[in-house]
Amino acid sequence: MARVIAFDFGLKRVGIAVTDPLQIIANSLETLPLKEVFNFLKKYCAAEEVEAFVVGYPFSHGHQENDIVKHIDKFILKLNELYPDKKVHKIDESFTSKIASRTLHMSGVTRKEKHNKKNIDAISANIILQSFLEMKSL
């Protein structure tokens, strides 16, 4: 089997997580500036077999559409253009940043690490990917 890569998209940074080749475990991989993500993917996909992408998406749940949606849609469009053979899945990202912050708080890391946005983005991507894996196994 091949890996699945997940993204917690942000206008400044993108958290990235990846599965193991058997798609059992999600692991935080990296947090990169948005402008570096596609160069990173090019190198990663050349070195590792990747089956699909998962993108955290802010579903509205009856509220107004989030402003970031148009940017995420452009990101997904570019993924589809660059990797037409790989499926892109959207997964609800509601509360992933809050869960990631709580996870850091409970893990006993330093105050500085708790408030480091890169750590929160990487853990958020991991949560998004783990949610995808759990839905897939149902």
Side-chain angles (χ1 to χ4, degrees):
M1 290 179 80
R3 298 176 187 270
V4 176
I5 298 177
F7 304 97
D8 177 41
F9 181 88
L11 295 175
K12 293 180 183 179
R13 292 173 310 279
V14 178
I16 303 171
V18 66
T19 65
D20 62 297
L22 296 176
Q23 298 180 14
I24 297 170
I25 300 169
N27 290 298
S28 299
L29 184 62
E30 189 80 53
T31 299
L32 296 172
L34 176 58
K35 63 184 178 188
E36 295 178 19
V37 171
F38 290 105
N39 285 335
F40 170 84
L41 270 181
K42 183 179 179 182
K43 292 175 188 172
Y44 191 88
C45 290
E48 298 286 343
E49 189 177 349
V50 175
E51 177 181 305
F53 301 115
V54 177
V55 179
Y57 202 83
F59 293 103
S60 65
H61 302 290
H63 300 91
Q64 277 188 317
E65 191 173 271
N66 195 322
D67 290 338
I68 199 165
V69 167
K70 62 184 173 193
H71 299 285
I72 295 173
D73 287 339
K74 286 180 187 178
F75 181 77
I76 291 171
L77 185 62
K78 185 150 184 172
L79 282 173
N80 283 321
E81 288 173 4
L82 294 174
Y83 302 97
D85 59 324
K86 298 176 187 358
K87 184 150 176 69
V88 179
H89 304 272
K90 295 179 193 176
I91 295 293
D92 189 359
E93 68 162 11
S94 299
F95 309 111
T96 56
S97 293
K98 287 182 182 180
I99 295 167
S101 293
R102 193 173 306 135
T103 301
L104 278 172
H105 179 73
M106 292 176 16
S107 70
V109 297
T110 66
R111 181 181 173 119
K112 185 177 179 180
E113 289 172 317
K114 287 178 197 174
H115 297 287
N116 184 333
K117 298 282 189 188
K118 285 185 172 185
N119 292 339
I120 293 170
D121 293 340
I123 292 171
S124 294
N126 194 343
I127 293 166
I128 289 164
L129 187 51
Q130 191 62 48
S131 296
F132 171 76
L133 291 174
E134 289 170 8
M135 287 176 44
K136 190 176 159 186
S137 69
L138 295 177

PDB file of all heavy atoms in Angstrom, residues 2-7 16-21 23 25-30 44 48-50 122 125-126 129 133:
ATOM      1  N   ALA A   2       0.256   2.349  -0.279  1.00  0.00           N
ATOM      2  CA  ALA A   2       0.960   3.623  -0.314  1.00  0.00           C
ATOM      3  C   ALA A   2       0.490   4.512   0.837  1.00  0.00           C
ATOM      4  O   ALA A   2      -0.540   4.272   1.450  1.00  0.00           O
ATOM      5  CB  ALA A   2       0.701   4.310  -1.651  1.00  0.00           C
ATOM      6  N   ARG A   3       1.231   5.539   1.084  1.00  0.00           N
ATOM      7  CA  ARG A   3       0.922   6.478   2.159  1.00  0.00           C
ATOM      8  C   ARG A   3      -0.205   7.441   1.766  1.00  0.00           C
ATOM      9  O   ARG A   3      -0.482   7.626   0.593  1.00  0.00           O
ATOM     10  CB  ARG A   3       2.165   7.283   2.513  1.00  0.00           C
ATOM     11  CG  ARG A   3       3.302   6.428   3.034  1.00  0.00           C
ATOM     12  CD  ARG A   3       4.535   7.274   3.277  1.00  0.00           C
ATOM     13  NE  ARG A   3       5.675   6.467   3.620  1.00  0.00           N
ATOM     14  CZ  ARG A   3       6.019   6.120   4.857  1.00  0.00           C
ATOM     15  NH1 ARG A   3       5.289   6.513   5.875  1.00  0.00           N
ATOM     16  NH2 ARG A   3       7.089   5.387   5.087  1.00  0.00           N
ATOM     17  N   VAL A   4      -0.792   8.053   2.774  1.00  0.00           N
ATOM     18  CA  VAL A   4      -1.764   9.131   2.597  1.00  0.00           C
ATOM     19  C   VAL A   4      -1.188  10.337   3.328  1.00  0.00           C
ATOM     20  O   VAL A   4      -0.684  10.215   4.448  1.00  0.00           O
ATOM     21  CB  VAL A   4      -3.146   8.759   3.173  1.00  0.00           C
ATOM     22  CG1 VAL A   4      -4.116   9.924   3.073  1.00  0.00           C
ATOM     23  CG2 VAL A   4      -3.716   7.528   2.472  1.00  0.00           C
ATOM     24  N   ILE A   5      -1.253  11.491   2.691  1.00  0.00           N
ATOM     25  CA  ILE A   5      -0.752  12.727   3.286  1.00  0.00           C
ATOM     26  C   ILE A   5      -1.931  13.638   3.602  1.00  0.00           C
ATOM     27  O   ILE A   5      -2.836  13.796   2.781  1.00  0.00           O
ATOM     28  CB  ILE A   5       0.217  13.454   2.328  1.00  0.00           C
ATOM     29  CG1 ILE A   5       1.442  12.589   2.052  1.00  0.00           C
ATOM     30  CG2 ILE A   5       0.639  14.807   2.911  1.00  0.00           C
ATOM     31  CD1 ILE A   5       2.419  13.207   1.067  1.00  0.00           C
ATOM     32  N   ALA A   6      -1.907  14.246   4.785  1.00  0.00           N
ATOM     33  CA  ALA A   6      -2.969  15.172   5.193  1.00  0.00           C
ATOM     34  C   ALA A   6      -2.392  16.557   5.429  1.00  0.00           C
ATOM     35  O   ALA A   6      -1.230  16.714   5.793  1.00  0.00           O
ATOM     36  CB  ALA A   6      -3.642  14.671   6.461  1.00  0.00           C
ATOM     37  N   PHE A   7      -3.263  17.551   5.230  1.00  0.00           N
ATOM     38  CA  PHE A   7      -2.877  18.947   5.369  1.00  0.00           C
ATOM     39  C   PHE A   7      -3.843  19.686   6.279  1.00  0.00           C
ATOM     40  O   PHE A   7      -5.056  19.575   6.128  1.00  0.00           O
ATOM     41  CB  PHE A   7      -2.893  19.648   4.010  1.00  0.00           C
ATOM     42  CG  PHE A   7      -2.031  18.980   2.979  1.00  0.00           C
ATOM     43  CD1 PHE A   7      -2.597  18.100   2.076  1.00  0.00           C
ATOM     44  CD2 PHE A   7      -0.673  19.228   2.915  1.00  0.00           C
ATOM     45  CE1 PHE A   7      -1.812  17.475   1.118  1.00  0.00           C
ATOM     46  CE2 PHE A   7       0.117  18.613   1.964  1.00  0.00           C
ATOM     47  CZ  PHE A   7      -0.454  17.727   1.061  1.00  0.00           C
ATOM     48  N   ILE A  16       1.458  19.219   8.078  1.00  0.00           N
ATOM     49  CA  ILE A  16       1.437  18.040   7.217  1.00  0.00           C
ATOM     50  C   ILE A  16       1.606  16.798   8.084  1.00  0.00           C
ATOM     51  O   ILE A  16       2.474  16.745   8.956  1.00  0.00           O
ATOM     52  CB  ILE A  16       2.567  18.104   6.165  1.00  0.00           C
ATOM     53  CG1 ILE A  16       2.442  19.386   5.335  1.00  0.00           C
ATOM     54  CG2 ILE A  16       2.536  16.862   5.267  1.00  0.00           C
ATOM     55  CD1 ILE A  16       3.627  19.651   4.424  1.00  0.00           C
ATOM     56  N   ALA A  17       0.775  15.798   7.813  1.00  0.00           N
ATOM     57  CA  ALA A  17       0.875  14.502   8.485  1.00  0.00           C
ATOM     58  C   ALA A  17       0.845  13.416   7.420  1.00  0.00           C
ATOM     59  O   ALA A  17       0.372  13.645   6.302  1.00  0.00           O
ATOM     60  CB  ALA A  17      -0.275  14.315   9.470  1.00  0.00           C
ATOM     61  N   VAL A  18       1.344  12.246   7.776  1.00  0.00           N
ATOM     62  CA  VAL A  18       1.428  11.148   6.814  1.00  0.00           C
ATOM     63  C   VAL A  18       1.142   9.828   7.525  1.00  0.00           C
ATOM     64  O   VAL A  18       1.408   9.689   8.719  1.00  0.00           O
ATOM     65  CB  VAL A  18       2.820  11.130   6.135  1.00  0.00           C
ATOM     66  CG1 VAL A  18       3.915  10.808   7.133  1.00  0.00           C
ATOM     67  CG2 VAL A  18       2.864  10.188   4.957  1.00  0.00           C
ATOM     68  N   THR A  19       0.606   8.884   6.765  1.00  0.00           N
ATOM     69  CA  THR A  19       0.396   7.546   7.309  1.00  0.00           C
ATOM     70  C   THR A  19       1.648   6.706   7.090  1.00  0.00           C
ATOM     71  O   THR A  19       2.508   7.046   6.286  1.00  0.00           O
ATOM     72  CB  THR A  19      -0.775   6.812   6.618  1.00  0.00           C
ATOM     73  OG1 THR A  19      -0.440   6.596   5.241  1.00  0.00           O
ATOM     74  CG2 THR A  19      -2.071   7.566   6.752  1.00  0.00           C
ATOM     75  N   ASP A  20       1.695   5.602   7.771  1.00  0.00           N
ATOM     76  CA  ASP A  20       2.679   4.579   7.461  1.00  0.00           C
ATOM     77  C   ASP A  20       2.228   3.917   6.152  1.00  0.00           C
ATOM     78  O   ASP A  20       1.093   4.135   5.707  1.00  0.00           O
ATOM     79  CB  ASP A  20       2.760   3.557   8.599  1.00  0.00           C
ATOM     80  CG  ASP A  20       1.447   2.823   8.792  1.00  0.00           C
ATOM     81  OD1 ASP A  20       0.433   3.480   9.128  1.00  0.00           O
ATOM     82  OD2 ASP A  20       1.418   1.600   8.588  1.00  0.00           O
ATOM     83  N   PRO A  21       3.072   3.116   5.503  1.00  0.00           N
ATOM     84  CA  PRO A  21       2.681   2.506   4.223  1.00  0.00           C
ATOM     85  C   PRO A  21       1.431   1.614   4.301  1.00  0.00           C
ATOM     86  O   PRO A  21       0.732   1.451   3.307  1.00  0.00           O
ATOM     87  CB  PRO A  21       3.914   1.695   3.818  1.00  0.00           C
ATOM     88  CG  PRO A  21       5.048   2.385   4.486  1.00  0.00           C
ATOM     89  CD  PRO A  21       4.489   2.882   5.798  1.00  0.00           C
ATOM     90  N   GLN A  23      -1.152   2.316   6.101  1.00  0.00           N
ATOM     91  CA  GLN A  23      -2.249   3.241   6.410  1.00  0.00           C
ATOM     92  C   GLN A  23      -2.967   2.881   7.710  1.00  0.00           C
ATOM     93  O   GLN A  23      -4.185   2.900   7.804  1.00  0.00           O
ATOM     94  CB  GLN A  23      -3.249   3.303   5.244  1.00  0.00           C
ATOM     95  CG  GLN A  23      -2.633   3.825   3.979  1.00  0.00           C
ATOM     96  CD  GLN A  23      -3.596   3.895   2.823  1.00  0.00           C
ATOM     97  OE1 GLN A  23      -4.811   3.799   2.998  1.00  0.00           O
ATOM     98  NE2 GLN A  23      -3.075   4.091   1.625  1.00  0.00           N
ATOM     99  N   ILE A  25      -1.352   4.056  10.955  1.00  0.00           N
ATOM    100  CA  ILE A  25      -0.987   5.081  11.926  1.00  0.00           C
ATOM    101  C   ILE A  25      -0.743   6.417  11.219  1.00  0.00           C
ATOM    102  O   ILE A  25      -0.082   6.460  10.185  1.00  0.00           O
ATOM    103  CB  ILE A  25       0.288   4.672  12.686  1.00  0.00           C
ATOM    104  CG1 ILE A  25       0.051   3.362  13.428  1.00  0.00           C
ATOM    105  CG2 ILE A  25       0.732   5.766  13.657  1.00  0.00           C
ATOM    106  CD1 ILE A  25       1.307   2.745  13.988  1.00  0.00           C
ATOM    107  N   ALA A  26      -1.259   7.480  11.814  1.00  0.00           N
ATOM    108  CA  ALA A  26      -1.000   8.843  11.322  1.00  0.00           C
ATOM    109  C   ALA A  26       0.103   9.457  12.173  1.00  0.00           C
ATOM    110  O   ALA A  26       0.098   9.324  13.394  1.00  0.00           O
ATOM    111  CB  ALA A  26      -2.268   9.681  11.421  1.00  0.00           C
ATOM    112  N   ASN A  27       1.041  10.124  11.519  1.00  0.00           N
ATOM    113  CA  ASN A  27       2.132  10.794  12.218  1.00  0.00           C
ATOM    114  C   ASN A  27       2.303  12.212  11.698  1.00  0.00           C
ATOM    115  O   ASN A  27       2.275  12.427  10.483  1.00  0.00           O
ATOM    116  CB  ASN A  27       3.458  10.048  11.994  1.00  0.00           C
ATOM    117  CG  ASN A  27       3.490   8.720  12.697  1.00  0.00           C
ATOM    118  OD1 ASN A  27       3.400   8.663  13.903  1.00  0.00           O
ATOM    119  ND2 ASN A  27       3.606   7.659  11.931  1.00  0.00           N
ATOM    120  N   SER A  28       2.509  13.145  12.612  1.00  0.00           N
ATOM    121  CA  SER A  28       2.835  14.504  12.196  1.00  0.00           C
ATOM    122  C   SER A  28       4.165  14.449  11.462  1.00  0.00           C
ATOM    123  O   SER A  28       5.088  13.757  11.879  1.00  0.00           O
ATOM    124  CB  SER A  28       2.955  15.422  13.412  1.00  0.00           C
ATOM    125  OG  SER A  28       1.733  15.474  14.101  1.00  0.00           O
ATOM    126  N   LEU A  29       4.253  15.182  10.370  1.00  0.00           N
ATOM    127  CA  LEU A  29       5.455  15.136   9.553  1.00  0.00           C
ATOM    128  C   LEU A  29       6.203  16.461   9.562  1.00  0.00           C
ATOM    129  O   LEU A  29       7.403  16.511   9.804  1.00  0.00           O
ATOM    130  CB  LEU A  29       5.078  14.743   8.118  1.00  0.00           C
ATOM    131  CG  LEU A  29       6.207  14.560   7.130  1.00  0.00           C
ATOM    132  CD1 LEU A  29       7.127  13.434   7.554  1.00  0.00           C
ATOM    133  CD2 LEU A  29       5.640  14.263   5.741  1.00  0.00           C
ATOM    134  N   GLU A  30       5.470  17.549   9.305  1.00  0.00           N
ATOM    135  CA  GLU A  30       6.144  18.828   9.065  1.00  0.00           C
ATOM    136  C   GLU A  30       5.119  19.950   9.154  1.00  0.00           C
ATOM    137  O   GLU A  30       3.931  19.739   8.959  1.00  0.00           O
ATOM    138  CB  GLU A  30       6.724  18.783   7.649  1.00  0.00           C
ATOM    139  CG  GLU A  30       7.628  19.889   7.255  1.00  0.00           C
ATOM    140  CD  GLU A  30       9.041  19.729   7.781  1.00  0.00           C
ATOM    141  OE1 GLU A  30       9.649  18.680   7.570  1.00  0.00           O
ATOM    142  OE2 GLU A  30       9.501  20.688   8.413  1.00  0.00           O
ATOM    143  N   TYR A  44       8.809  14.707  -1.766  1.00  0.00           N
ATOM    144  CA  TYR A  44       8.279  13.605  -0.960  1.00  0.00           C
ATOM    145  C   TYR A  44       7.665  12.530  -1.856  1.00  0.00           C
ATOM    146  O   TYR A  44       7.916  11.340  -1.672  1.00  0.00           O
ATOM    147  CB  TYR A  44       7.253  14.115   0.058  1.00  0.00           C
ATOM    148  CG  TYR A  44       6.902  13.058   1.071  1.00  0.00           C
ATOM    149  CD1 TYR A  44       7.654  12.918   2.225  1.00  0.00           C
ATOM    150  CD2 TYR A  44       5.849  12.173   0.851  1.00  0.00           C
ATOM    151  CE1 TYR A  44       7.362  11.930   3.150  1.00  0.00           C
ATOM    152  CE2 TYR A  44       5.555  11.180   1.768  1.00  0.00           C
ATOM    153  CZ  TYR A  44       6.311  11.057   2.911  1.00  0.00           C
ATOM    154  OH  TYR A  44       6.027  10.066   3.819  1.00  0.00           O
ATOM    155  N   GLU A  48       8.601   8.628  -1.888  1.00  0.00           N
ATOM    156  CA  GLU A  48       7.627   7.724  -1.251  1.00  0.00           C
ATOM    157  C   GLU A  48       6.405   7.554  -2.137  1.00  0.00           C
ATOM    158  O   GLU A  48       5.998   8.495  -2.817  1.00  0.00           O
ATOM    159  CB  GLU A  48       7.172   8.290   0.100  1.00  0.00           C
ATOM    160  CG  GLU A  48       8.259   8.438   1.126  1.00  0.00           C
ATOM    161  CD  GLU A  48       8.707   7.122   1.734  1.00  0.00           C
ATOM    162  OE1 GLU A  48       7.989   6.107   1.615  1.00  0.00           O
ATOM    163  OE2 GLU A  48       9.795   7.113   2.332  1.00  0.00           O
ATOM    164  N   GLU A  49       5.819   6.376  -2.082  1.00  0.00           N
ATOM    165  CA  GLU A  49       4.579   6.146  -2.821  1.00  0.00           C
ATOM    166  C   GLU A  49       3.424   6.754  -2.024  1.00  0.00           C
ATOM    167  O   GLU A  49       3.231   6.437  -0.849  1.00  0.00           O
ATOM    168  CB  GLU A  49       4.349   4.657  -3.027  1.00  0.00           C
ATOM    169  CG  GLU A  49       3.204   4.353  -3.951  1.00  0.00           C
ATOM    170  CD  GLU A  49       3.038   2.862  -4.212  1.00  0.00           C
ATOM    171  OE1 GLU A  49       3.924   2.082  -3.852  1.00  0.00           O
ATOM    172  OE2 GLU A  49       1.986   2.509  -4.773  1.00  0.00           O
ATOM    173  N   VAL A  50       2.687   7.639  -2.665  1.00  0.00           N
ATOM    174  CA  VAL A  50       1.562   8.326  -2.027  1.00  0.00           C
ATOM    175  C   VAL A  50       0.295   8.005  -2.811  1.00  0.00           C
ATOM    176  O   VAL A  50       0.257   8.163  -4.024  1.00  0.00           O
ATOM    177  CB  VAL A  50       1.801   9.857  -1.979  1.00  0.00           C
ATOM    178  CG1 VAL A  50       0.581  10.575  -1.422  1.00  0.00           C
ATOM    179  CG2 VAL A  50       3.042  10.177  -1.151  1.00  0.00           C
ATOM    180  N   ALA A 122       0.955  20.971  13.045  1.00  0.00           N
ATOM    181  CA  ALA A 122       1.365  19.590  12.772  1.00  0.00           C
ATOM    182  C   ALA A 122       0.437  18.598  13.467  1.00  0.00           C
ATOM    183  O   ALA A 122       0.020  17.598  12.866  1.00  0.00           O
ATOM    184  CB  ALA A 122       2.813  19.371  13.217  1.00  0.00           C
ATOM    185  N   ALA A 125      -2.936  18.495  11.679  1.00  0.00           N
ATOM    186  CA  ALA A 125      -2.874  17.655  10.482  1.00  0.00           C
ATOM    187  C   ALA A 125      -2.958  16.184  10.863  1.00  0.00           C
ATOM    188  O   ALA A 125      -3.631  15.385  10.188  1.00  0.00           O
ATOM    189  CB  ALA A 125      -1.591  17.934   9.699  1.00  0.00           C
ATOM    190  N   ASN A 126      -2.301  15.824  11.950  1.00  0.00           N
ATOM    191  CA  ASN A 126      -2.353  14.449  12.429  1.00  0.00           C
ATOM    192  C   ASN A 126      -3.780  14.060  12.818  1.00  0.00           C
ATOM    193  O   ASN A 126      -4.249  12.963  12.497  1.00  0.00           O
ATOM    194  CB  ASN A 126      -1.401  14.314  13.624  1.00  0.00           C
ATOM    195  CG  ASN A 126      -1.106  12.889  13.987  1.00  0.00           C
ATOM    196  OD1 ASN A 126      -1.808  11.973  13.599  1.00  0.00           O
ATOM    197  ND2 ASN A 126      -0.055  12.688  14.748  1.00  0.00           N
ATOM    198  N   LEU A 129      -5.845  13.534   9.698  1.00  0.00           N
ATOM    199  CA  LEU A 129      -5.513  12.259   9.056  1.00  0.00           C
ATOM    200  C   LEU A 129      -6.046  11.074   9.853  1.00  0.00           C
ATOM    201  O   LEU A 129      -6.573  10.123   9.278  1.00  0.00           O
ATOM    202  CB  LEU A 129      -3.996  12.146   8.871  1.00  0.00           C
ATOM    203  CG  LEU A 129      -3.488  10.952   8.077  1.00  0.00           C
ATOM    204  CD1 LEU A 129      -4.194  10.809   6.725  1.00  0.00           C
ATOM    205  CD2 LEU A 129      -1.987  11.046   7.883  1.00  0.00           C
ATOM    206  N   LEU A 133      -8.585   8.100   8.626  1.00  0.00           N
ATOM    207  CA  LEU A 133      -8.320   6.669   8.759  1.00  0.00           C
ATOM    208  C   LEU A 133      -9.448   5.968   9.510  1.00  0.00           C
ATOM    209  O   LEU A 133      -9.852   4.853   9.134  1.00  0.00           O
ATOM    210  CB  LEU A 133      -6.996   6.435   9.488  1.00  0.00           C
ATOM    211  CG  LEU A 133      -5.725   6.833   8.730  1.00  0.00           C
ATOM    212  CD1 LEU A 133      -4.503   6.677   9.619  1.00  0.00           C
ATOM    213  CD2 LEU A 133      -5.585   6.026   7.457  1.00  0.00           C
TER     214      LEU A 133
END
